[in-house]
């Protein structure tokens, strides 16, 4: 097990990699907890959830809407959750986004933590404190920054991911390798079979490297006033592609990375060998 700390002026967030997700119960208050999850995650893991009220949403981007947020807020009132309460999000990027967003506004802000169940969420979406919901088809136009107290990343949960969700997460790993930790690219190139087979040891190492890089960025620029913008590599084109083509986030980001890489080559900002390496890795996966 490894614990990575993200420190910002107002908070400390612990990212725990390699622990069994069920151990999250040791991190929770004894009472006043509500769980947000989606139906798919609940079907796989619900029998092991801590004994607290569970609120379920539909999986996917369709749930990142204000009407869903409002429905959840009303349910929190119904179960008597007060300002001393705690929200535990168990799921992928959508669940973590919604859980963090609601925790930041309910009763003017209550505590929260996540069990991250998807690769995309473990390497990117659940860490860093960015929370957003959509207006119609416009992504993350309403949002805020709230750090979870903890994020538990159990890579054994990745074995139950559908293939498209798993590959979607690999795109964010490739992004992190390009913008930050080059060893991620080396591992992705040299361990293709193990990664395709979802080897837990390799994935734990990759998740750790990605989180450490993101932690180093967020600790310096929590609210994206400058440096943190590097984490959006591939997303400028990617969000437009995601909206227009209705594909998984990671596939859209991969296409955005390809376009940005082509642009950079034409502008003379990267060498042809760098271009070939990036495009070759995207094609490989």
């Amino acid at each position: 097990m490894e614990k990575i700390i993200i420190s910002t002026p107002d908070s400390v967030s612990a990212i725990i990699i390699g622990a069994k997700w069920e151990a999250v119960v040791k991190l929770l208050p004894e009472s006043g907890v509500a769980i947000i999850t989606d139906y798919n995650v609940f079907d796989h893991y619900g029998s092991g959830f801590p004994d607290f009220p569970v609120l379920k949403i539909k999986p996917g981007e369709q749930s990142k809407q204000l009407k869903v947020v409002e429905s959840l807020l009303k349910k929190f009132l119904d179960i008597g959750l007060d300002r001393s309460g705690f929200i535990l999000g168990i799921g992928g990027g959508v669940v973590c986004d919604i859980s963090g967003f609601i925790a930041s506004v309910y009763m003017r802000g209550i505590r929260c933590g996540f069990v991250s169940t998807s690769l995309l969420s473990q390497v990117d979406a659940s860490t860093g404190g960015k929370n957003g919901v959509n207006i119609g088809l416009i992504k993350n136009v309403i949002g805020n920054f709230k750090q979870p107290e903890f994020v538990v990343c159990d890579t054994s949960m990745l074995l139950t991911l559908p293939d498209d969700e798993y590959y979607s997460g690999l795109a964010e790993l490739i992004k992190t390798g390009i913008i930050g930790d080059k060893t991620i690219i080396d591992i992705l190139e040299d361990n293709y079979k193990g990664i395709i087979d979802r080897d837990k040891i390799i994935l734990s190492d990759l998740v750790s490297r990605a989180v450490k890089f993101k932690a180093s960025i967020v600790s310096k620029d929590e609210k994206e006033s400058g440096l943190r913008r590097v984490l959006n590599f591939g997303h400028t084109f990617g969000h437009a592609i995601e909206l227009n083509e209705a594909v998984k986030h990671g596939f859209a980001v991969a296409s955005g990375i390809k376009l940005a890489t082509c642009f950079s080559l034409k502008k003379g900002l990267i060498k042809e060998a760098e271009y070939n390496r990036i495009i070759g890795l995207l094609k490989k996966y």
Side-chain angles (χ1 to χ4, degrees):
M1 186 184 80
E2 183 176 13
K3 182 184 290 186
I4 299 166
I5 302 297
I6 299 179
S7 296
T8 66
D10 299 320
S11 64
V12 176
S13 184
I15 317 301
I16 303 165
I17 301 168
K20 289 292 185 182
W21 74 269
E22 296 92 338
V24 71
V25 69
K26 298 177 182 178
L27 303 173
L28 298 170
E30 293 183 359
S31 61
V33 178
I35 298 171
I36 298 176
T37 191
D38 69 38
Y39 287 98
N40 286 348
V41 172
F42 187 79
D43 287 346
H44 281 293
Y45 301 107
S47 62
F49 278 15
D51 189 18
F52 296 112
V54 179
L55 286 64
K56 298 186 283 287
I57 62 174
K58 293 180 180 178
E61 197 74 13
Q62 61 183 323
S63 286
K64 285 179 59 173
Q65 300 291 336
L66 286 176
K67 62 183 179 182
V68 175
V69 170
E70 182 179 9
S71 174
L72 291 169
L73 291 171
K74 289 178 179 177
K75 290 176 182 177
F76 286 155
L77 291 173
D78 291 342
I79 64 176
L81 195 70
D82 61 24
R83 63 182 56 192
S84 67
F86 190 102
I87 294 176
L88 175 64
I90 305 179
V94 170
V95 166
C96 293
D97 251 359
I98 289 177
S99 300
F101 180 79
I102 289 177
S104 71
V105 297
Y106 184 72
M107 300 283 181
R108 297 186 177 87
I110 63 174
R111 301 160 61 201
C112 69
F114 306 144
V115 173
S116 179
T117 63
S118 73
L119 182 58
L120 190 148
S121 178
Q122 290 187 10
V123 301
D124 185 64
S126 67
T127 63
K130 273 179 83 172
N131 309 293
V133 293
N134 307 334
I135 292 183
L137 296 175
I138 305 174
K139 282 181 64 68
N140 299 330
V141 71
I142 302 175
N144 50 37
F145 294 87
K146 181 177 177 63
Q147 299 293 341
E149 291 190 4
F150 60 79
V151 181
V152 176
C153 299
D154 180 354
T155 52
S156 68
M157 301 182 91
L158 305 181
L159 294 173
T160 59
L161 283 180
D163 285 346
D164 58 351
E165 287 285 358
Y166 181 66
Y167 283 99
S168 181
L170 287 176
E172 288 284 1
L173 262 177
I174 292 171
K175 176 206 80 174
T176 305
I178 295 169
I179 65 174
D181 186 347
K182 179 180 169 293
T183 63
I184 291 174
I185 300 298
D186 296 334
I187 294 168
L188 287 167
E189 288 176 334
D190 296 340
N191 295 274
Y192 179 78
K193 186 178 186 305
I195 291 166
I196 294 302
D197 293 341
R198 309 190 193 189
D199 181 281
K200 181 180 177 181
I201 295 174
I202 297 174
L203 288 174
S204 293
D205 181 36
L206 286 168
V207 170
S208 173
R209 291 171 188 270
V211 169
K212 285 176 180 175
F213 175 72
K214 187 167 186 180
S216 71
I217 298 295
V218 172
S219 296
K220 296 173 185 174
D221 178 22
E222 180 186 15
K223 298 186 177 178
E224 204 172 81
S225 59
L227 178 63
R228 185 168 177 165
R229 294 175 188 172
V230 71
L231 299 174
N232 295 327
F233 175 57
H235 288 63
T236 306
F237 291 120
H239 280 170
I241 294 166
E242 186 175 1
L243 169 63
N244 191 61
E245 301 295 333
V247 295
K248 292 286 184 184
H249 177 74
F251 289 89
V253 168
S255 296
I257 290 172
K258 180 179 179 181
L259 287 169
T261 303
C262 291
F263 178 86
S264 298
L265 181 66
K266 289 178 181 178
K267 290 290 184 180
L269 299 171
I270 61 173
K271 298 175 182 178
E272 188 169 355
E274 294 169 321
Y275 169 86
N276 290 335
R277 191 176 187 190
I278 291 169
I279 300 304
L281 190 61
L282 292 172
K283 288 181 176 179
K284 187 172 187 174
Y285 282 99

